[in-house]
Amino acid sequence: MPNPYAAQLAEIPVVRREVALLGGTTAYWVYGDDTATTTIVAVHGFRGEHHGLDPVVAHLPGIRVISPDLPGFGETAPLVGHAHDLDTYAEWLRQFVESVAPDAVVLGHSFGSIVASAAVAGGLSTPKLILVNPIGAPALEGPRGILTRLAVFYYLAGAKLPRPVGEGLLRNGIIVRVMSNAMAKTRDPALRRFVHEQHDEYFSRFADRDVLHEAFVTSVSHDVRAFAPRIAQPTLLIAAEKDDITPIEAERHLATLFPNAELVEIPEVGHLIHYETPRAAASAIREFLA
C-alpha cells in the first residue's frame, strides 16, 4: 500500500544516529535541518517505534524532529540490568534529551505521553510539552476496559508460556490485525489499509517477550494525571473524540490538572491521530509553538 504521506516525507532530510545511554545504545532519527530554530524530541507509543510518528513529521517541514526508538523496541536494544519500568524510561528520556537536544520541546504519543510527562515532572528541562492521544485515565477504565483486561491476560500468557509459544502468540499477525481494527476509526479504505500495513510492519518489532511484558505493565499501571500538577511548562493536549483508551471527557478533565494547558479535540478519530489525522495534529502543534 503506498504511503499517503511519502511525498511530503521525501522533502524532509533524515539521518539515523546512535547515542550511548544507561549502558545501552539508543537508535534515533533526525528529521529536518540541524540549523532549524525549533527542535522537537518525539516519543512513540507502546509496541510502536519511530516510524509511527512519520505522518506527523511529514506535516512539520521547517521543524527539526528527533525521534528515538524506545529501549526494547525497533532498533534500540533492551537496557541490560534495568527493569523496563516508568522510572527507567523517564530517566532514559531525560538523558536522551540532555545528550542529543538540550531544552528541546518534548512530544509524547500514547504510552510516550506517560514517559514524557513523568520525565518533565521529574525535572527534564523543556520549554513546552506536547501530548498526543495522552493516557489521561487508567486504561482499564476506558470505553473498552474489557478488551484491555483481555490484553492483560494476553501479555501475561505471552510472558509465561514456553518461550517459542509465547513469542509466537505475541507476534501473531491475526491478533495484531484485531488490535489494528479495534483502534482504526477512518472509513477511508485506502487509509485504513495503510494503518493495518503499518501495524503489520512495525507492531512486532519488540526485542523479546520480557521487555514487552514489562512495558505493557508499565503502560497500564500509570497515566498522565499523576504528573500533570507538577508540570509548569505550557502543555498542549491533542485528544481524539473517539479514543477507546481515554474517553474525551477524561481528556477534558486532564487538561484542568495542568497549571498551564490547552486542549485540542480532533473529531472522527480514535487512538491513531498520528496515522489518521496527522495534518490536524501538526496544525495544532505549529499554532502552539508559534
Side-chain angles (χ1 to χ4, degrees):
M1 181 66 199
N3 185 331
Y5 313 110
Q8 291 146 292
L9 278 171
E11 300 283 328
I12 300 173
V14 59
V15 60
R16 182 191 184 279
R17 295 175 181 166
E18 294 182 348
V19 62
L21 299 171
L22 294 180
T25 301
T26 293
Y28 67 97
W29 286 257
V30 180
Y31 299 82
D33 195 328
D34 283 343
T35 62
T37 57
T38 301
T39 297
I40 296 174
V41 170
V43 185
H44 64 78
F46 175 69
R47 278 195 76 149
E49 41 116 281
H50 73 281
H51 281 104
L53 294 172
D54 277 0
V56 178
V57 173
H59 291 88
L60 293 173
I63 294 176
R64 184 173 71 150
V65 179
I66 300 176
S67 189
D69 282 346
L70 282 165
F73 297 88
E75 295 183 30
T76 299
L79 298 171
V80 178
H82 295 270
H84 291 79
D85 56 19
L86 187 55
D87 287 342
T88 296
Y89 279 122
E91 176 61 17
W92 165 84
L93 179 58
R94 183 187 67 80
Q95 291 192 21
F96 179 82
V97 173
E98 290 177 354
S99 298
V100 173
D103 295 316
V105 174
V106 174
L107 179 152
H109 171 257
S110 188
F111 176 52
S113 74
I114 302 175
V115 174
S117 297
V120 173
L124 171 60
S125 178
T126 181
K128 293 185 176 183
L129 176 64
I130 301 168
L131 305 178
V132 182
N133 285 123
I135 307 299
L140 294 175
E141 298 177 7
R144 296 200 178 188
I146 293 177
L147 289 180
T148 305
R149 287 177 172 83
L150 289 175
V152 170
F153 289 108
Y154 167 67
Y155 286 105
L156 181 61
K160 297 298 184 183
L161 288 168
R163 186 168 292 273
V165 178
E167 291 272 0
L169 177 68
L170 294 170
R171 301 181 195 274
N172 183 276
I174 295 175
I175 296 176
V176 169
R177 181 57 58 89
V178 170
M179 295 178 186
S180 187
N181 271 308
M183 290 188 288
K185 301 300 180 186
T186 179
R187 295 184 179 181
D188 181 331
L191 181 56
R192 196 174 184 90
R193 182 180 172 190
F194 167 73
V195 168
H196 293 332
E197 291 190 357
Q198 288 289 294
H199 286 142
D200 291 345
E201 179 72 18
Y202 301 118
F203 220 49
S204 294
R205 290 192 175 182
F206 52 88
D208 57 53
R209 67 178 187 171
D210 299 320
V211 69
L212 184 67
H213 184 251
E214 288 181 343
F216 174 75
V217 171
T218 300
S219 72
V220 297
S221 301
H222 302 275
D223 61 77
V224 176
R225 294 178 305 172
F227 310 106
R230 291 186 280 142
I231 297 175
Q233 290 89 337
T235 301
L236 172 65
L237 309 179
I238 304 177
E241 291 186 356
K242 294 185 176 182
D243 197 331
D244 291 322
I245 307 298
T246 302
I248 193 62
E249 294 80 9
E251 302 285 33
R252 292 166 182 161
H253 174 67
L254 175 65
T256 69
L257 302 181
F258 287 87
N260 182 8
E262 62 179 272
L263 173 66
V264 172
E265 300 179 16
I266 302 181
E268 303 302 321
V269 68
H271 203 66
L272 302 180
I273 284 175
H274 58 308
Y275 282 143
E276 297 184 17
T277 57
R279 181 187 298 275
S283 177
I285 290 169
R286 283 190 174 280
E287 184 173 344
F288 177 66
L289 295 179

mmCIF file of all heavy atoms in Angstrom, residues 89-123:
data_model
loop_
_atom_site.group_PDB
_atom_site.id
_atom_site.type_symbol
_atom_site.label_atom_id
_atom_site.label_comp_id
_atom_site.label_asym_id
_atom_site.label_seq_id
_atom_site.Cartn_x
_atom_site.Cartn_y
_atom_site.Cartn_z
ATOM 1 N N TYR A 89 12.312 4.386 31.973
ATOM 2 C CA TYR A 89 12.007 5.091 30.726
ATOM 3 C C TYR A 89 12.106 6.609 30.910
ATOM 4 O O TYR A 89 12.584 7.322 30.020
ATOM 5 C CB TYR A 89 10.619 4.703 30.223
ATOM 6 C CG TYR A 89 10.585 3.400 29.473
ATOM 7 C CD1 TYR A 89 9.777 2.345 29.894
ATOM 8 C CD2 TYR A 89 11.360 3.203 28.330
ATOM 9 C CE1 TYR A 89 9.734 1.139 29.200
ATOM 10 C CE2 TYR A 89 11.338 2.005 27.632
ATOM 11 C CZ TYR A 89 10.530 0.975 28.069
ATOM 12 O OH TYR A 89 10.506 -0.215 27.383
ATOM 13 N N ALA A 90 11.664 7.113 32.054
ATOM 14 C CA ALA A 90 11.734 8.557 32.295
ATOM 15 C C ALA A 90 13.190 9.015 32.402
ATOM 16 O O ALA A 90 13.566 10.065 31.857
ATOM 17 C CB ALA A 90 10.960 8.921 33.560
ATOM 18 N N GLU A 91 14.011 8.227 33.089
ATOM 19 C CA GLU A 91 15.431 8.583 33.199
ATOM 20 C C GLU A 91 16.122 8.477 31.848
ATOM 21 O O GLU A 91 16.966 9.317 31.497
ATOM 22 C CB GLU A 91 16.114 7.664 34.216
ATOM 23 C CG GLU A 91 17.621 7.869 34.360
ATOM 24 C CD GLU A 91 18.016 9.258 34.829
ATOM 25 O OE1 GLU A 91 17.148 9.994 35.350
ATOM 26 O OE2 GLU A 91 19.203 9.614 34.659
ATOM 27 N N TRP A 92 15.758 7.456 31.081
ATOM 28 C CA TRP A 92 16.307 7.324 29.720
ATOM 29 C C TRP A 92 15.974 8.556 28.886
ATOM 30 O O TRP A 92 16.841 9.108 28.192
ATOM 31 C CB TRP A 92 15.747 6.063 29.066
ATOM 32 C CG TRP A 92 15.941 6.018 27.584
ATOM 33 C CD1 TRP A 92 17.050 5.596 26.903
ATOM 34 C CD2 TRP A 92 15.006 6.445 26.582
ATOM 35 N NE1 TRP A 92 16.865 5.727 25.539
ATOM 36 C CE2 TRP A 92 15.625 6.247 25.319
ATOM 37 C CE3 TRP A 92 13.705 6.958 26.642
ATOM 38 C CZ2 TRP A 92 14.972 6.557 24.123
ATOM 39 C CZ3 TRP A 92 13.062 7.268 25.466
ATOM 40 C CH2 TRP A 92 13.688 7.063 24.213
ATOM 41 N N LEU A 93 14.734 9.026 28.940
ATOM 42 C CA LEU A 93 14.349 10.182 28.139
ATOM 43 C C LEU A 93 15.074 11.432 28.612
ATOM 44 O O LEU A 93 15.517 12.252 27.788
ATOM 45 C CB LEU A 93 12.830 10.395 28.199
ATOM 46 C CG LEU A 93 12.303 11.593 27.411
ATOM 47 C CD1 LEU A 93 12.672 11.490 25.927
ATOM 48 C CD2 LEU A 93 10.788 11.722 27.569
ATOM 49 N N ARG A 94 15.208 11.588 29.920
ATOM 50 C CA ARG A 94 15.928 12.757 30.429
ATOM 51 C C ARG A 94 17.355 12.769 29.896
ATOM 52 O O ARG A 94 17.834 13.795 29.396
ATOM 53 C CB ARG A 94 15.944 12.742 31.963
ATOM 54 C CG ARG A 94 16.614 13.976 32.575
ATOM 55 C CD ARG A 94 16.767 13.855 34.076
ATOM 56 N NE ARG A 94 17.718 12.804 34.429
ATOM 57 C CZ ARG A 94 19.037 12.965 34.388
ATOM 58 N NH1 ARG A 94 19.569 14.122 33.996
ATOM 59 N NH2 ARG A 94 19.846 11.975 34.732
ATOM 60 N N GLN A 95 18.035 11.627 29.979
ATOM 61 C CA GLN A 95 19.400 11.563 29.497
ATOM 62 C C GLN A 95 19.475 11.742 27.979
ATOM 63 O O GLN A 95 20.410 12.361 27.459
ATOM 64 C CB GLN A 95 20.044 10.240 29.906
ATOM 65 C CG GLN A 95 20.300 10.105 31.394
ATOM 66 C CD GLN A 95 21.197 8.924 31.721
ATOM 67 O OE1 GLN A 95 21.941 8.429 30.876
ATOM 68 N NE2 GLN A 95 21.137 8.458 32.965
ATOM 69 N N PHE A 96 18.485 11.213 27.276
ATOM 70 C CA PHE A 96 18.482 11.358 25.814
ATOM 71 C C PHE A 96 18.385 12.823 25.407
ATOM 72 O O PHE A 96 19.173 13.309 24.580
ATOM 73 C CB PHE A 96 17.329 10.571 25.205
ATOM 74 C CG PHE A 96 17.254 10.683 23.706
ATOM 75 C CD1 PHE A 96 18.058 9.883 22.902
ATOM 76 C CD2 PHE A 96 16.403 11.590 23.095
ATOM 77 C CE1 PHE A 96 18.023 9.999 21.510
ATOM 78 C CE2 PHE A 96 16.355 11.720 21.719
ATOM 79 C CZ PHE A 96 17.165 10.923 20.919
ATOM 80 N N VAL A 97 17.429 13.536 25.963
ATOM 81 C CA VAL A 97 17.246 14.946 25.607
ATOM 82 C C VAL A 97 18.479 15.760 25.991
ATOM 83 O O VAL A 97 18.962 16.587 25.210
ATOM 84 C CB VAL A 97 15.981 15.514 26.276
ATOM 85 C CG1 VAL A 97 15.880 17.020 26.044
ATOM 86 C CG2 VAL A 97 14.736 14.825 25.739
ATOM 87 N N GLU A 98 19.006 15.519 27.179
ATOM 88 C CA GLU A 98 20.168 16.286 27.627
ATOM 89 C C GLU A 98 21.399 16.003 26.764
ATOM 90 O O GLU A 98 22.236 16.885 26.568
ATOM 91 C CB GLU A 98 20.461 15.974 29.090
ATOM 92 C CG GLU A 98 19.400 16.530 30.042
ATOM 93 C CD GLU A 98 19.652 16.154 31.494
ATOM 94 O OE1 GLU A 98 20.594 15.365 31.762
ATOM 95 O OE2 GLU A 98 18.900 16.640 32.363
ATOM 96 N N SER A 99 21.492 14.786 26.219
ATOM 97 C CA SER A 99 22.653 14.417 25.406
ATOM 98 C C SER A 99 22.525 14.865 23.957
ATOM 99 O O SER A 99 23.519 15.251 23.332
ATOM 100 C CB SER A 99 22.854 12.890 25.442
ATOM 101 O OG SER A 99 23.104 12.434 26.747
ATOM 102 N N VAL A 100 21.318 14.792 23.413
ATOM 103 C CA VAL A 100 21.126 14.974 21.974
ATOM 104 C C VAL A 100 20.550 16.348 21.620
ATOM 105 O O VAL A 100 20.955 16.962 20.631
ATOM 106 C CB VAL A 100 20.211 13.857 21.426
ATOM 107 C CG1 VAL A 100 19.844 14.108 19.971
ATOM 108 C CG2 VAL A 100 20.885 12.501 21.582
ATOM 109 N N ALA A 101 19.593 16.831 22.412
ATOM 110 C CA ALA A 101 18.923 18.089 22.076
ATOM 111 C C ALA A 101 18.489 18.807 23.350
ATOM 112 O O ALA A 101 17.298 18.838 23.675
ATOM 113 C CB ALA A 101 17.722 17.833 21.174
ATOM 114 N N PRO A 102 19.434 19.368 24.099
ATOM 115 C CA PRO A 102 19.080 20.039 25.356
ATOM 116 C C PRO A 102 18.018 21.106 25.159
ATOM 117 O O PRO A 102 18.081 21.893 24.224
ATOM 118 C CB PRO A 102 20.412 20.653 25.806
ATOM 119 C CG PRO A 102 21.457 19.822 25.136
ATOM 120 C CD PRO A 102 20.875 19.432 23.807
ATOM 121 N N ASP A 103 17.028 21.087 26.046
ATOM 122 C CA ASP A 103 15.947 22.079 26.053
ATOM 123 C C ASP A 103 15.064 22.039 24.820
ATOM 124 O O ASP A 103 14.398 23.022 24.473
ATOM 125 C CB ASP A 103 16.504 23.498 26.246
ATOM 126 C CG ASP A 103 17.149 23.675 27.610
ATOM 127 O OD1 ASP A 103 16.549 23.223 28.601
ATOM 128 O OD2 ASP A 103 18.244 24.256 27.693
ATOM 129 N N ALA A 104 15.016 20.890 24.141
ATOM 130 C CA ALA A 104 14.085 20.738 23.018
ATOM 131 C C ALA A 104 12.661 20.633 23.549
ATOM 132 O O ALA A 104 12.417 20.263 24.707
ATOM 133 C CB ALA A 104 14.424 19.480 22.216
ATOM 134 N N VAL A 105 11.705 20.946 22.702
ATOM 135 C CA VAL A 105 10.293 20.679 23.006
ATOM 136 C C VAL A 105 10.117 19.166 23.045
ATOM 137 O O VAL A 105 10.674 18.445 22.218
ATOM 138 C CB VAL A 105 9.372 21.298 21.940
ATOM 139 C CG1 VAL A 105 7.916 20.903 22.172
ATOM 140 C CG2 VAL A 105 9.523 22.818 21.929
ATOM 141 N N VAL A 106 9.363 18.668 24.011
ATOM 142 C CA VAL A 106 9.161 17.226 24.151
ATOM 143 C C VAL A 106 7.739 16.872 23.738
ATOM 144 O O VAL A 106 6.779 17.544 24.137
ATOM 145 C CB VAL A 106 9.432 16.765 25.601
ATOM 146 C CG1 VAL A 106 9.073 15.290 25.775
ATOM 147 C CG2 VAL A 106 10.895 16.993 25.954
ATOM 148 N N LEU A 107 7.620 15.821 22.921
ATOM 149 C CA LEU A 107 6.324 15.332 22.459
ATOM 150 C C LEU A 107 6.217 13.843 22.782
ATOM 151 O O LEU A 107 7.165 13.085 22.539
ATOM 152 C CB LEU A 107 6.165 15.563 20.959
ATOM 153 C CG LEU A 107 4.870 15.094 20.284
ATOM 154 C CD1 LEU A 107 4.563 15.965 19.055
ATOM 155 C CD2 LEU A 107 4.915 13.622 19.855
ATOM 156 N N GLY A 108 5.076 13.429 23.306
ATOM 157 C CA GLY A 108 4.849 12.014 23.571
ATOM 158 C C GLY A 108 3.503 11.576 23.052
ATOM 159 O O GLY A 108 2.508 12.285 23.212
ATOM 160 N N HIS A 109 3.482 10.422 22.390
ATOM 161 C CA HIS A 109 2.223 9.863 21.899
ATOM 162 C C HIS A 109 1.846 8.633 22.716
ATOM 163 O O HIS A 109 2.679 7.745 22.914
ATOM 164 C CB HIS A 109 2.324 9.476 20.428
ATOM 165 C CG HIS A 109 1.137 8.703 19.940
ATOM 166 N ND1 HIS A 109 1.155 7.339 19.742
ATOM 167 C CD2 HIS A 109 -0.136 9.100 19.658
ATOM 168 C CE1 HIS A 109 -0.039 6.925 19.350
ATOM 169 N NE2 HIS A 109 -0.836 7.978 19.291
ATOM 170 N N SER A 110 0.603 8.573 23.202
ATOM 171 C CA SER A 110 0.081 7.410 23.901
ATOM 172 C C SER A 110 0.989 7.030 25.073
ATOM 173 O O SER A 110 1.166 7.818 25.997
ATOM 174 C CB SER A 110 -0.103 6.260 22.911
ATOM 175 O OG SER A 110 -0.776 5.171 23.511
ATOM 176 N N PHE A 111 1.570 5.834 25.077
ATOM 177 C CA PHE A 111 2.496 5.461 26.146
ATOM 178 C C PHE A 111 3.618 6.486 26.272
ATOM 179 O O PHE A 111 4.094 6.785 27.374
ATOM 180 C CB PHE A 111 3.064 4.067 25.866
ATOM 181 C CG PHE A 111 4.104 3.607 26.855
ATOM 182 C CD1 PHE A 111 3.853 3.640 28.218
ATOM 183 C CD2 PHE A 111 5.337 3.143 26.419
ATOM 184 C CE1 PHE A 111 4.818 3.210 29.137
ATOM 185 C CE2 PHE A 111 6.303 2.716 27.326
ATOM 186 C CZ PHE A 111 6.041 2.754 28.689
ATOM 187 N N GLY A 112 4.021 7.047 25.141
ATOM 188 C CA GLY A 112 5.037 8.093 25.171
ATOM 189 C C GLY A 112 4.586 9.322 25.946
ATOM 190 O O GLY A 112 5.420 10.065 26.476
ATOM 191 N N SER A 113 3.268 9.541 26.036
ATOM 192 C CA SER A 113 2.768 10.678 26.816
ATOM 193 C C SER A 113 3.021 10.458 28.307
ATOM 194 O O SER A 113 3.273 11.412 29.047
ATOM 195 C CB SER A 113 1.269 10.898 26.555
ATOM 196 O OG SER A 113 0.469 9.910 27.198
ATOM 197 N N ILE A 114 2.959 9.203 28.754
ATOM 198 C CA ILE A 114 3.248 8.894 30.151
ATOM 199 C C ILE A 114 4.735 9.085 30.427
ATOM 200 O O ILE A 114 5.127 9.704 31.419
ATOM 201 C CB ILE A 114 2.820 7.454 30.495
ATOM 202 C CG1 ILE A 114 1.328 7.241 30.215
ATOM 203 C CG2 ILE A 114 3.129 7.138 31.955
ATOM 204 C CD1 ILE A 114 0.864 5.800 30.411
ATOM 205 N N VAL A 115 5.575 8.547 29.549
ATOM 206 C CA VAL A 115 7.023 8.665 29.713
ATOM 207 C C VAL A 115 7.442 10.136 29.710
ATOM 208 O O VAL A 115 8.208 10.581 30.570
ATOM 209 C CB VAL A 115 7.753 7.892 28.602
ATOM 210 C CG1 VAL A 115 9.255 8.123 28.686
ATOM 211 C CG2 VAL A 115 7.438 6.405 28.680
ATOM 212 N N ALA A 116 6.937 10.895 28.746
ATOM 213 C CA ALA A 116 7.300 12.310 28.642
ATOM 214 C C ALA A 116 6.840 13.093 29.866
ATOM 215 O O ALA A 116 7.594 13.915 30.412
ATOM 216 C CB ALA A 116 6.705 12.902 27.370
ATOM 217 N N SER A 117 5.615 12.841 30.316
ATOM 218 C CA SER A 117 5.090 13.555 31.481
ATOM 219 C C SER A 117 5.883 13.231 32.737
ATOM 220 O O SER A 117 6.198 14.122 33.534
ATOM 221 C CB SER A 117 3.619 13.204 31.690
ATOM 222 O OG SER A 117 2.835 13.616 30.594
ATOM 223 N N ALA A 118 6.207 11.950 32.915
ATOM 224 C CA ALA A 118 6.986 11.555 34.082
ATOM 225 C C ALA A 118 8.364 12.206 34.067
ATOM 226 O O ALA A 118 8.859 12.672 35.105
ATOM 227 C CB ALA A 118 7.116 10.035 34.132
ATOM 228 N N ALA A 119 8.985 12.260 32.893
ATOM 229 C CA ALA A 119 10.312 12.856 32.786
ATOM 230 C C ALA A 119 10.283 14.353 33.067
ATOM 231 O O ALA A 119 11.131 14.880 33.804
ATOM 232 C CB ALA A 119 10.893 12.587 31.404
ATOM 233 N N VAL A 120 9.309 15.051 32.499
ATOM 234 C CA VAL A 120 9.222 16.504 32.705
ATOM 235 C C VAL A 120 8.870 16.814 34.157
ATOM 236 O O VAL A 120 9.452 17.714 34.774
ATOM 237 C CB VAL A 120 8.203 17.122 31.733
ATOM 238 C CG1 VAL A 120 7.993 18.606 32.054
ATOM 239 C CG2 VAL A 120 8.685 16.962 30.294
ATOM 240 N N ALA A 121 7.938 16.063 34.726
ATOM 241 C CA ALA A 121 7.589 16.270 36.134
ATOM 242 C C ALA A 121 8.775 15.981 37.041
ATOM 243 O O ALA A 121 8.904 16.569 38.118
ATOM 244 C CB ALA A 121 6.408 15.378 36.517
ATOM 245 N N GLY A 122 9.665 15.093 36.588
ATOM 246 C CA GLY A 122 10.842 14.738 37.375
ATOM 247 C C GLY A 122 12.034 15.647 37.172
ATOM 248 O O GLY A 122 13.097 15.408 37.746
ATOM 249 N N GLY A 123 11.884 16.667 36.333
ATOM 250 C CA GLY A 123 12.951 17.643 36.201
ATOM 251 C C GLY A 123 13.551 17.802 34.821
ATOM 252 O O GLY A 123 14.461 18.617 34.639
#
